[in-house]
Amino acid sequence: MSQSVCILGVTGSIGRSTLKILQQHSDQYSVFAVTGFSRIKELSEICKQYRPKCVVVPSDKVDELQQLLAIHHIFDIEILTDEAGLITVSEHPDVDVVMAAIVGAAGLLPTLAAVKAGKRVLLANKEALVMSGDIMLQAAKDHHALLLPVDSEHNAIFQCLPQNYLQIQPNGEPQLGVKQVLLTASGGPFLNFSLEQLKTVTPAQACKHPNWSMGQKISVDSATLMNKGLELIEACHLFSIKEQFVTVVVHPQSIIHSMVQYVDGSTLAQMGNPDMCTPIAHALAWPERIQTHVPPLDLFVHSQLDFQAPDITRFPSLKLARHAMQAGGLAPSILNAANEIAVSAFLQQKIAFLEISQVVEHTLNHVQNGLADSIDTILQTDQLARQVASQRITQLGS
Ligand code: NAD
Ligand code: MG
């Protein structure tokens, strides 16, 4: 029987790659709901092509969407709004699979709603897991949700781990013969830039990733290495291991998407051309495999694979994220909120590239850490950290 899919963040880079896979397998999957935040014209085109039952937009975008749909004589798609609408479609009884591809903290409640409704949740929205780690994983266990990693590194690690590793009882130590996880990083567009050069890099340069085509926020995160920091935290939660068992390895070609080392000396790697359609298809069909248009890896073309240690002097965000994970509790939420604000300020050219990590560090030092024992506490801390980060940005600009 056909599986019914809800795509949160359909107008984004992951959302559109997901549509590509669903289109290729339209006999097995149907699109039940899609959501968008801006780019309403694009959203209306998606509605025209995929004919979902529901679409979610911010309330101030309803008129625009209705008018665009009317041009195509589409009147039978239910339009829902705002966070309540996102939650309604995420937990809808007719939905089997939820692609969580909203960027940032805005994806937390809808993703959690999908988990609590026991869905197969394809997790791209790493910020949601960074913020809510233990709560999200406990909810997945309690409600028998299948939380499958779409982030290419975590999907690679999942593929290299023993089967059923996600079901083991967490205690922070790697289990079943696993020694450690090697999380690969491309190093981003500024891998070989000096500190002096990093002072003046622009948003356009930061958004031009050498190997991957992605949304703006994650592109900047890749340039600062905060993306790897968030992924380090994501890996600790997903695979129930302490941060000392996750080593970051810079691998500029992005052919190996991550590795798992075992106690017997084996290192397993998952390799492929850098295209998010592979991990999306893997998470969608797991434990089966489905076809994608991604060409098989040609090792005669990619004959050189390089590896190096990350430089935390030029890319301090990675160090901040590791410290936040060590500190635990609300620290990862504070880190994430400050980073979202700082990246947005950098994109608006209000702060310089190197000031992104300074804003994050300042916020971590000025917002009280505590137990992340409820979603309300996490969201309150997220708001507070945003205020502190914004104040710091104002100070930097004056
Ligand atoms: P994007 O910016 O291209 O798309 C983001 C989507 O979220 C859009 O559909 C947008 O409309 C929606 N959105 C933004 N703000 C929103 C809000 N406040 N409320 C509701 N919806 C909102 O981002 P992306 O590159 O597709 O990344 C999405 C998520 O996947 C991020 O968490 C990112 O870290 C993760 N991810 C992306 C990639 C990639 O290759 N792009 C790889 C791994 C993980
Ligand atoms: Mg990744």
Side-chain angles (χ1 to χ4, degrees), residues 126 151-153 227-228 231:
K126 64 192 84 184
D151 211 346
S152 57
E153 295 77 3
N227 183 48
K228 216 44 58 182
E231 290 186 357

Side-chain angles (χ1 to χ4, degrees), residues 112 115 128-142 147 170 233 236-238 240 325 328-329 371-373 375 378:
L112 193 60
V115 166
L129 190 64
V130 165
M131 294 172 74
S132 69
D134 294 344
I135 294 179
M136 180 86 77
L137 284 162
Q138 191 57 48
K141 284 209 176 77
D142 292 348
L147 192 60
I233 300 172
C236 293
H237 288 305
L238 275 174
S240 309
M325 189 61 209
L371 288 179
D373 51 5
I375 291 295
I378 291 169

Side-chain angles (χ1 to χ4, degrees), residues 123-177:
L123 185 75
N125 178 209
K126 64 192 84 184
E127 296 90 347
L129 190 64
V130 165
M131 294 172 74
S132 69
D134 294 344
I135 294 179
M136 180 86 77
L137 284 162
Q138 191 57 48
K141 284 209 176 77
D142 292 348
H143 300 276
H144 309 290
L146 202 50
L147 192 60
L148 295 168
V150 166
D151 211 346
S152 57
E153 295 77 3
H154 305 74
N155 185 270
I157 294 163
F158 179 50
Q159 293 196 46
C160 296
L161 282 170
Q163 261 207 338
N164 299 328
Y165 197 87
L166 292 191
Q167 270 81 57
I168 60 168
Q169 290 304 317
N171 73 352
E173 305 283 321
Q175 319 236 336
L176 305 180

Side-chain angles (χ1 to χ4, degrees), residues 225-244:
L225 284 201
M226 181 56 92
N227 183 48
K228 216 44 58 182
L230 297 173
E231 290 186 357
L232 167 79
I233 300 172
E234 185 185 9
C236 293
H237 288 305
L238 275 174
F239 308 119
S240 309
I241 45 173
K242 294 193 193 118
E243 54 75 33
Q244 65 258 40

